[in-house]
Amino acid sequence: MMEISVFPSVFESTRAQLNNVSNTLLEGLKIEHNDESYIIGELALKEGLSPHRLINCAPGELDFEILFRAALLMAQQNAGRNFSLTLGFPFALYQVHQNTAKQQLTKTHDIIFDSSTYSLNGTSGKQAISVSLNKVFTVPEVAGSIIALRYGENPETEDFIVLSLGYGSCEGVVSTKSGIIRRTAISTRGIRYAVNLMKDELQKEHFLGFKTEHQLNVAFQKGNININKRSVDLANIKQKVLRSYYSNIIRPALLNAFQDSDFDTCKKLYLVGGGAYFSELTNQIKSEFEDVLTVIIPDNPHTLAVRGYCINTQKQTEDDVSVGIDLGNANTLVCVNKQSPHKE
């Protein structure tokens, strides 16, 4: 059975001593890296002043190192300290980062973390563990969703189009029984475009102070934001900016990439990623393509890619334990499957 952990992809350095401020490791992620302490995820949102991360960071960059180490710390709880994993990159960055990721990450990672944030027993405090990665596989992010759709619980056997509505990027491609059609691959701006439009709209009437991009994204998802001790309903703004996002970004990309012949062979369009939860966006896509495609939003669309990464690790290694890590721009997801792979 797959176990999935999710934490916000933000961090902040800290000098504070944080004891018993959370209930679990997931809620109390605090690690050391290069003699600096960092709070990560929920703890950064709760205790930090400016939780942040770079969009589409690369292996070797601080943001990647901090979030990846936090993801390994979560993975080892269920996977142990010796395993292989798969992670993904956007289409536009996949060729640039795939070899670097394998070379830099396939090794033993020494991780120092502080368990006093969530533990009061005798072993609380700074602890060191080593996690050995036997093999690191990389795939384009949208390929992770395709793998999950074709080899997951209800395998898809027909040709289809998949559109991944992520925060940092929106990606799509035609998937056939024999592979993807690269001509149809698109990689363009993600939900972040709409969040920045919302910020511009809000600043016309409100002073937003020092709210970070991630804090604005959380408000965008919730549909309201607290500004100067007053709750502001974002429903109308959200509808407006998502309409602009679809018209300006997604629609042109789809119409330029897909030909009539693609609709002859594909009868389904899968919407995946966190953006698939926004009905204001998905309804526009359904309205555009309902005459030629059945638009499907699978269960838990935000976890589909990381489930695909985990399945890919299992297929590549046939190990008893497989791991997938999705260092998303909004959230980091860690998937561990401890079941033995099915062998023909």
Side-chain angles (χ1 to χ4, degrees), residues 235-255:
N236 291 335
I237 293 178
K238 192 173 176 181
Q239 177 77 38
K240 181 179 178 181
V241 299
L242 284 173
R243 186 167 58 246
S244 296
Y245 172 53
Y246 179 71
S247 299
N248 295 338
I249 304 298
I250 295 182
R251 187 174 185 271
L254 292 177
L255 296 182

Side-chain angles (χ1 to χ4, degrees), residues 192-206 208-209 211-213 216 220 225 234 237 241:
R192 183 190 190 202
Y193 179 93
V195 173
N196 285 331
L197 288 181
M198 178 195 72
K199 178 182 178 181
D200 292 340
E201 287 289 331
L202 287 172
Q203 286 180 324
K204 292 177 181 178
E205 299 181 7
H206 305 280
L208 298 181
K211 294 186 184 299
T212 66
E213 184 176 320
L216 290 174
F220 188 80
I225 187 172
L234 299 175
I237 293 178
V241 299

Side-chain angles (χ1 to χ4, degrees), residues 116-253:
S116 60
T117 59
Y118 64 93
S119 176
L120 288 177
N121 61 35
T123 61
S124 66
K126 289 186 180 181
Q127 300 184 45
I129 64 168
S130 296
V131 177
S132 296
L133 298 183
N134 300 322
K135 294 181 179 179
V136 174
F137 305 98
T138 59
V139 297
E141 287 179 356
V142 71
S145 296
I146 292 173
I147 292 169
L149 289 169
R150 292 214 176 268
Y151 300 100
E153 293 181 357
N154 300 297
E156 176 60 77
T157 59
E158 300 176 5
D159 295 351
F160 61 85
I161 298 172
V162 61
L163 185 64
S164 178
L165 302 166
Y167 181 74
S169 62
C170 168
E171 302 193 326
V173 74
V174 167
S175 172
T176 71
K177 303 176 187 66
S178 57
I180 64 171
I181 299 178
R182 290 195 172 273
R183 166 185 56 80
T184 65
I186 64 170
S187 184
T188 187
R189 297 175 184 273
I191 297 295
R192 183 190 190 202
Y193 179 93
V195 173
N196 285 331
L197 288 181
M198 178 195 72
K199 178 182 178 181
D200 292 340
E201 287 289 331
L202 287 172
Q203 286 180 324
K204 292 177 181 178
E205 299 181 7
H206 305 280
F207 174 63
L208 298 181
F210 300 103
K211 294 186 184 299
T212 66
E213 184 176 320
H214 190 92
Q215 290 169 327
L216 290 174
N217 181 42
V218 170
F220 188 80
Q221 295 177 41
K222 291 168 51 181
N224 64 80
I225 187 172
N226 292 317
I227 302 176
N228 296 324
K229 303 181 180 65
R230 185 165 68 90
S231 179
V232 177
D233 186 358
L234 299 175
N236 291 335
I237 293 178
K238 192 173 176 181
Q239 177 77 38
K240 181 179 178 181
V241 299
L242 284 173
R243 186 167 58 246
S244 296
Y245 172 53
Y246 179 71
S247 299
N248 295 338
I249 304 298
I250 295 182
R251 187 174 185 271

Side-chain angles (χ1 to χ4, degrees), residues 1-75:
M1 180 177 178
M2 290 185 175
E3 298 287 342
I4 299 177
S5 303
V6 183
F7 60 88
S9 293
V10 291
F11 69 98
E12 184 175 342
S13 62
T14 183
R15 300 290 190 277
Q17 187 70 33
L18 300 172
N19 296 321
N20 196 29
V21 293
S22 58
N23 294 318
T24 64
L25 172 62
L26 181 63
E27 297 172 347
L29 287 167
K30 182 183 179 185
I31 68 173
E32 286 197 4
H33 181 60
N34 292 340
D35 298 323
E36 189 74 62
S37 294
Y38 296 93
I39 47 178
I40 302 145
E42 294 290 350
L43 188 61
L45 291 178
K46 183 168 66 175
E47 297 286 353
L49 296 176
S50 185
H52 61 280
R53 73 152 287 175
L54 294 176
I55 296 297
N56 294 329
C57 55
E61 293 180 347
L62 178 64
D63 302 55
F64 187 100
E65 292 295 321
I66 297 300
L67 295 174
F68 186 72
R69 286 170 176 272
L72 290 182
L73 186 59
M74 292 305 307

Side-chain angles (χ1 to χ4, degrees), residues 235 238-239 242-243 277-285:
K238 192 173 176 181
Q239 177 77 38
L242 284 173
R243 186 167 58 246
Y277 288 106
F278 298 129
S279 59
E280 301 92 339
L281 177 59
T282 59
N283 286 341
Q284 294 180 76
I285 298 172

